[in-house]
Amino acid sequence: DTAVSQTPKYLVTQMGNDKSIKCEQNLGHDTMYWYKQDSKKFLKIMFSYNNKELIINETVPNRFSPKSPDKAHLNLHINSLELGDSAVYFCASSQGAGEYETQYFGPGTRLLVL
Amino acid sequence: AQSVAQPEDQVNVAEGNPLTVKCTYSVSGNPYLFWYVQYPNRGLQFLLKYITGDNLVKGSYGFEAEFNKSQTSFHLKKPSALVSDSALYFCAVRGNTGFQKLVFGTGTRLLVSP
């Protein structure tokens, strides 16, 4: 059973398009995250939700909008895609938002904007 | 703000030899430290973490890490490397003053040769 799953795994699209990435976790966790990993493998947090409430919102363009319909799901919608959005996007989850909580990562969604 | 440094882009070691992957950190308050591993085209997998207590932390796949407060380090170690340990390793830190995000280092590629 996959603990944290993401769809799609690969996404190739044209500049200017709008796309969504979905994330689901079956671990019973109440906190979920979106990370971006660039071409140099640098990993940075974008958003975090705790019990469907946004608790971290890093300096991310307004074109990125997360949505958490329930505690098990966190989706990421991206408007007007740009070349620089090409990256691997990882979803993660943890039980609680405490500093010591372990985050469990999904397999990633590889986004390529042409 | 917290930060993590992984001074080596790549570590090369022969199979059977001990390995060390270095990590130093900077954080307000007491640190919570994590190691993750990323295999090619996969998500991050949790290896181990330090919260408090014993400075030597044991984790998955025979890995361990030593917390050194005076040197602000959290080096990852394994007594005998396997070829299958070849992967990208990330150190990460969170502080314990208020809610803080998990900050990752730039990653160290470990290459274990047969």
Side-chain angles (χ1 to χ4, degrees):
Chain A
D1 288 340
T2 304
V4 183
S5 59
Q6 296 179 227
T7 54
K9 286 188 177 180
Y10 299 95
L11 189 51
V12 181
T13 187
Q14 300 288 329
M15 263 195 325
N17 284 352
D18 301 339
K19 291 293 179 184
S20 290
I21 306 171
K22 295 186 176 182
C23 178
E24 176 181 3
Q25 54 92 6
N26 62 6
L27 297 168
H29 290 167
D30 60 5
T31 306
M32 297 184 73
Y33 311 80
W34 277 112
Y35 285 86
K36 180 181 180 181
Q37 187 176 46
D38 63 22
S39 58
K40 295 185 178 181
K41 304 298 184 184
F42 185 64
L43 196 67
K44 188 175 179 184
I45 192 166
M46 301 172 68
F47 302 103
S48 176
Y49 274 75
N50 175 249
N51 284 314
K52 301 196 299 175
E53 297 286 331
L54 182 65
I55 56 173
I56 293 179
N57 187 353
E58 285 294 287
T59 307
V60 177
N62 291 337
R63 300 181 294 102
F64 290 79
S65 53
K67 280 189 171 55
S68 182
D70 55 57
K71 289 194 293 184
H73 296 85
L74 181 62
N75 303 324
L76 183 65
H77 187 76
I78 315 171
N79 289 326
S80 303
L81 278 155
E82 300 177 357
L83 294 177
D85 297 332
S86 296
V88 182
Y89 293 84
F90 288 102
C91 177
S93 73
S94 65
Q95 180 49 46
E99 295 84 357
Y100 48 83
E101 296 297 343
T102 299
Q103 295 181 22
Y104 295 90
F105 285 76
T109 295
R110 284 149 185 82
L111 172 64
L112 178 60
V113 182
L114 303 175
Chain B
Q2 62 265 40
S3 65
V4 174
Q6 294 182 244
E8 302 152 316
D9 288 338
Q10 182 162 312
V11 170
N12 298 309
V13 65
E15 189 173 32
N17 283 357
L19 68 88
T20 298
V21 182
K22 296 180 180 178
C23 170
T24 58
Y25 66 90
S26 173
V27 70
S28 300
N30 292 323
Y32 297 109
L33 295 153
F34 301 78
W35 275 102
Y36 284 85
V37 59
Q38 184 178 25
Y39 296 100
N41 299 317
R42 303 284 295 274
L44 277 73
Q45 294 180 30
F46 169 72
L47 280 178
L48 51 82
K49 67 180 177 183
Y50 172 81
I51 300 173
T52 185
D54 195 349
N55 290 342
L56 186 63
V57 179
K58 294 189 183 297
S60 306
Y61 312 121
F63 284 93
E64 57 190 27
E66 187 167 11
F67 171 66
N68 187 318
K69 189 171 183 178
S70 62
Q71 297 185 5
T72 61
S73 67
F74 190 56
H75 300 332
L76 182 69
K77 300 181 180 184
K78 188 174 182 181
S80 179
L82 299 172
V83 173
S84 57
D85 292 331
S86 298
L88 187 59
Y89 290 80
F90 289 96
C91 182
V93 68
R94 248 173 158 171
N96 71 342
T97 54
F99 182 78
Q100 296 189 32
K101 61 191 177 187
L102 187 62
V103 174
F104 285 84
T106 50
T108 297
R109 190 165 301 280
L110 174 66
L111 185 59
V112 182
S113 55

